[in-house]
Amino acid sequence: MTTETTTDAATGTALSPATERAIEQVEAHAAHNYHPLPVVVETAEGAWVTDVDGRRYLDCLAAYSAVNFGHGNRRLLDAAHAQLDRVTLTSRAFHSAALGPFVEALAALAGKDMVLPMNTGAEAVESGIKVARRWAYQVKGVPAGQAEIIVMEGNFHGRTTTIVSFSDDPEATTGYAPFTPGFVRVPFGDAEALEAAITPNTAAVLLEPIQGEAGINVPPAGYLQRVREITARERVLMIADEIQSGLGRTGATFQCDNEGVVPDVYLLGKALGGGVVPVSAVVADEDVLGVLTPGSHGSTFGGNPLAAAVGLEVVRMLGEGEMQARARELGARLHAGLGELVGHGVTAVRGVGLWAGIDIDPAVGTARQVCLRLLERGILAKDTHGQTVRLAPPIVIEERDLDMLVDAFAAAVGHRR
């Protein structure tokens, strides 16, 4: 391991020659649509990653919940390796032996009839929008071209043209107009505003049970239940984007489970691929997904055998319940520790399970500055919206490592526990 270093001009962080070369290569040839911290990961296992210089870091982002079950999870790698030796891609022009078991198991896990397999989370959201519109025209009887979907202020569902059309984040929308019509935005957590926005042309309400990108924004108690009551009464689909909140992250299979709510449609992704391969899905009953017909929607890689094999193992793991229980128990420990920092460099802590948004007192610095201090202490975390740090460690994290995280966070905001 080399000890020779240079200093990154943007962050003041000391960089080794190996790290500097790797970052320069990316900066020279990759589009600058991300602003990563100055660390170059080379290997990973469990909740830990190792950089090109051999330094280990505790991963407390888990690829925005895509690595819920840890890096290099043996069960998931074994499932992938076994499928790699069989067949990886056929397209949906033919049947594959791996797809049936996956969609059957996922439908059962969600308590629904059918699954539309896709690849990325954004594809699942786009597909959910298309399904909701077609359902509105064919089933509800909305006049052609008039369907509306109610969305939330502060939403984040992806970065396609249609999805950013209903974002209120200037970074996501600037320079991308004209936008797709057909969306009505209301305040997140305000059931009365949502109810008032419904018209005979409303096809669906699309929301995140907890807004991740917005800073782990948790709605008021009872909000999701009110949304479910309103949408059921008004014959409007409730679409829950559980791409970040689902699949164990909040101590339940879905965050909707924690609220005693069953939406009409689940949108899933990230952890569904186990951090091995992109896998996403729209999951709903036949009276909703049944509106799709051959040729009306598709994806060459959607439901490919490799994705199906990994996804099936993810579903099997969740069916055992251990991951959900672990996220509940360790989440309580995490939030108890972080809660002690409120008033000591931290102004608020939000979240459920192993998911937390921590608002940083401006007197301490920005959230990115805190993330850089955490980096120096061997912790990988991510900032959002200026003053909020997001934490979402892999569910397989050990208690002692979770305690180390809280201690490091306290030090990063200048507090001694």
Side-chain angles (χ1 to χ4, degrees):
M1 185 185 304
T2 181
T3 57
E4 181 184 352
T5 63
T6 58
T7 300
D8 180 56
T11 65
T13 303
L15 304 180
S16 73
T19 295
E20 188 174 25
R21 282 194 301 271
I23 292 175
E24 285 178 351
Q25 187 176 34
V26 172
E27 290 298 302
H29 300 287
H32 299 163
N33 58 325
Y34 278 88
H35 188 201
L37 296 179
V39 59
V40 181
V41 175
E42 187 170 45
T43 62
E45 182 178 6
W48 289 85
V49 303
T50 303
D51 72 4
V52 291
D53 299 308
R55 185 179 180 188
R56 298 177 75 229
Y57 299 85
L58 184 63
D59 179 4
C60 294
L61 184 63
Y64 305 99
S65 290
V67 191
N68 277 2
F69 315 115
H71 295 278
N73 184 288
R74 193 71 257 162
R75 288 178 60 172
L76 299 179
L77 290 183
D78 286 348
H81 288 155
Q83 190 61 46
L84 281 167
D85 289 333
R86 297 187 181 109
V87 58
T88 59
L89 181 64
T90 62
S91 87
R92 295 293 302 281
F94 313 105
H95 290 283
S96 77
L99 181 58
F102 168 54
V103 294
E104 180 182 55
L106 180 56
L109 182 74
K112 299 293 185 182
D113 298 333
M114 302 182 77
V115 172
L116 171 63
M118 299 299 289
N119 306 287
T120 67
E123 280 184 285
V125 176
E126 286 273 0
S127 300
I129 290 169
K130 290 177 69 176
V131 167
R133 287 175 169 176
R134 182 169 268 220
W135 175 88
Y137 301 135
Q138 295 187 357
V139 178
K140 187 174 180 178
V142 172
Q146 299 301 308
E148 296 177 341
I149 294 176
I150 297 174
V151 297
M152 304 297 129
E153 293 177 358
N155 73 77
F156 180 82
H157 298 281
R159 299 189 186 275
T160 64
T161 304
T162 292
I163 293 171
V164 301
S165 294
F166 54 86
S167 171
D168 54 5
D169 180 358
E171 286 193 356
T173 59
T174 300
Y176 297 125
F179 296 120
T180 307
F183 301 97
V184 177
R185 200 163 54 228
V186 300
F188 182 60
D190 187 338
E192 285 67 36
L194 184 153
E195 186 172 19
I198 292 176
T199 74
N201 292 338
T202 303
V205 171
L206 169 62
L207 53 73
E208 304 155 85
I210 295 175
Q211 292 185 327
E213 180 72 15
I216 322 301
N217 190 10
V218 182
Y223 170 70
L224 291 183
Q225 292 180 346
R226 284 284 292 129
V227 173
R228 177 69 285 187
E229 292 166 3
I230 293 166
T231 53
R233 185 186 70 231
E234 299 293 335
R235 203 184 180 204
V236 169
L237 297 179
M238 179 180 178
I239 305 177
D241 178 345
E242 295 254 19
I243 292 167
Q244 288 194 51
S245 61
L247 308 182
R249 171 56 54 191
T250 63
T253 302
F254 308 109
Q255 172 58 15
C256 284
D257 294 342
N258 283 330
E259 298 295 326
V261 167
V262 179
D264 296 293
V265 180
Y266 289 104
L267 305 180
L268 306 176
K270 294 196 184 295
L272 192 58
V276 178
V277 62
V279 185
S280 67
V282 181
V283 189
D285 283 332
E286 187 174 5
D287 61 351
V288 177
L289 274 178
V291 301
L292 294 180
T293 53
S296 63
H297 189 61
S299 167
T300 299
F301 280 85
N304 69 77
L306 179 60
V310 173
L312 175 60
E313 195 60 30
V314 166
V315 172
R316 285 172 172 165
M317 292 170 64
L318 290 167
E320 296 165 4
E322 180 183 346
M323 288 295 174
Q324 297 91 319
R326 186 175 182 85
R328 284 195 304 275
E329 295 162 7
L330 292 180
R333 190 182 188 98
L334 173 65
H335 283 276
L338 293 173
E340 295 177 5
L341 303 181
V342 175
H344 303 282
V346 168
T347 59
V349 177
R350 296 174 301 279
V352 179
L354 275 175
W355 207 18
I358 305 100
D359 291 343
I360 305 302
D361 186 334
V364 168
T366 66
R368 184 172 177 86
Q369 288 171 333
V370 169
C371 287
L372 288 168
R373 295 170 200 162
L374 289 170
L375 181 68
E376 294 172 355
R377 293 168 171 81
I379 304 290
L380 297 185
K382 188 67 175 69
D383 59 291
T384 186
H385 294 283
Q387 290 304 129
T388 301
V389 175
R390 284 179 288 180
L391 297 178
I395 299 172
V396 298
I397 190 172
E398 299 290 342
E399 283 189 4
R400 63 179 180 274
D401 295 334
L402 201 65
D403 294 341
M404 183 189 80
L405 161 62
V406 175
D407 288 340
F409 208 103
V413 296
H415 177 62
R416 289 191 175 187
R417 298 180 73 216

